[in-house]
Amino acid sequence: MNSVLKFFIPPDKKFQPLFEQSGKNLISISETLLLALSTNDLDQRNKHIKKIEQLERNVNKIRHAVFLGLSKSIITPFSREDIHTLISAVYDISDYIRAAAISIEMYNILQLDKTMIKLANLLTEMCKDLDSALKELRSFKNKTIISDVCLRIYKGESKADKLCNHAVAGLFKTELNPIELIKQKELLQTLEMATDRCDDAANALEAILVKNS
């Protein structure tokens, strides 16, 4: 979409508010996961997990609202495919965060090591970055914000991958209980997959940036 076309197309009032809501929810759900992993109080941890489930449902509602908007709108701020890819990736992040939280509760994982908290911290930073980029879609006045966000997320995903691989390798060396090993390995890999979905969202943002520059 070039600058001439943008002059004739009215400002987007349907999709952008949904993008920004999804970004806000990403921050909340990632921060709540970090709280759940950081506390030793089981009652507090369970409260955080319940909140994560609710926040994931909120993101799912936003996703459906975007899909409904795509089916009814003649004009969209970006290509339909890019909007679909972006909002799907954002939902997938929250879905994997929920999966991580549920696994803690379902498998009764009591040993939450430092790597899990590091991954959750990294995930929270990535979600904050995505929120900043999603807000910037409103005006595109400072496109470097989006490109810088994408670069940080790509680096963050690579770091998360290394953290996860190192932690899993350590489990095989130190964890003697095979059941506990499987539970912790699954949680670590689910956290890492959440960062992969952040990478997917960054790819979608980058595609939008390239097509609208």
Side-chain angles (χ1 to χ4, degrees):
M1 187 187 299
N2 58 39
S3 57
V4 176
L5 285 174
K6 287 180 181 179
F7 180 80
F8 292 101
I9 295 175
D12 169 43
K13 296 182 180 180
K14 180 180 294 183
F15 295 99
Q16 185 59 32
L18 293 171
F19 293 153
E20 293 180 16
Q21 287 176 40
S22 65
K24 183 178 179 181
N25 269 277
L26 276 184
I27 292 176
S28 295
I29 197 170
S30 60
E31 288 181 337
T32 306
L33 175 66
L34 181 57
L35 290 172
L37 289 167
S38 301
T39 183
N40 292 319
D41 187 320
L42 295 183
D43 288 335
Q44 283 298 316
R45 183 179 294 163
N46 288 334
K47 287 180 182 178
H48 294 319
I49 291 170
K50 293 292 181 287
K51 183 179 179 182
I52 287 169
E53 292 182 69
Q54 179 58 54
L55 288 167
E56 186 270 345
R57 287 193 289 270
N58 291 344
V59 179
N60 194 26
K61 289 177 183 177
I62 293 169
R63 179 181 65 158
H64 283 297
V66 170
F67 290 168
L68 184 62
L70 288 174
S71 69
K72 293 184 175 181
S73 300
I74 298 174
I75 298 173
T76 58
F78 319 112
S79 79
R80 296 174 186 277
E81 292 80 7
D82 288 339
I83 291 174
H84 185 280
T85 300
L86 175 60
I87 204 66
S88 295
V90 168
Y91 169 73
D92 286 345
I93 297 166
S94 66
D95 192 40
Y96 272 102
I97 289 175
R98 174 184 174 276
I102 292 299
S103 67
I104 297 169
E105 183 179 48
M106 184 169 62
Y107 299 144
N108 193 30
I109 301 175
L110 300 178
Q111 298 180 42
L112 302 176
D113 66 22
K114 292 181 180 179
T115 301
M116 295 172 185
I117 296 174
K118 286 180 181 178
L119 286 169
N121 260 311
L122 190 57
L123 184 58
T124 299
E125 292 306 311
M126 294 167 86
C127 287
K128 289 178 179 178
D129 268 336
L130 285 173
D131 176 62
S132 297
L134 288 166
K135 288 176 180 174
E136 187 58 29
L137 293 178
R138 179 178 290 275
S139 64
F140 267 99
K141 288 182 179 178
N142 192 350
K143 296 177 183 179
T144 57
I145 289 177
I146 299 175
S147 60
D148 289 348
V149 160
C150 292
L151 182 59
R152 285 196 297 271
I153 288 176
Y154 296 149
K155 290 180 178 178
E157 192 279 329
S158 179
K159 182 178 179 180
D161 193 45
K162 291 176 182 176
L163 281 171
C164 180
N165 288 340
H166 181 75
V168 170
L171 280 175
F172 280 100
K173 292 178 181 177
T174 60
E175 182 56 62
L176 301 178
N177 185 331
I179 295 176
E180 192 63 30
L181 186 152
I182 291 169
K183 292 192 294 186
Q184 292 193 43
K185 175 176 174 288
E186 182 168 328
L187 177 53
L188 284 164
Q189 291 178 332
T190 303
L191 289 167
E192 194 278 326
M193 284 189 283
T195 67
D196 285 344
R197 303 292 80 78
C198 289
D199 191 84
D200 291 343
N203 285 332
L205 285 164
E206 196 168 58
I208 291 171
L209 184 63
V210 169
K211 293 176 185 178
N212 292 273
S213 296

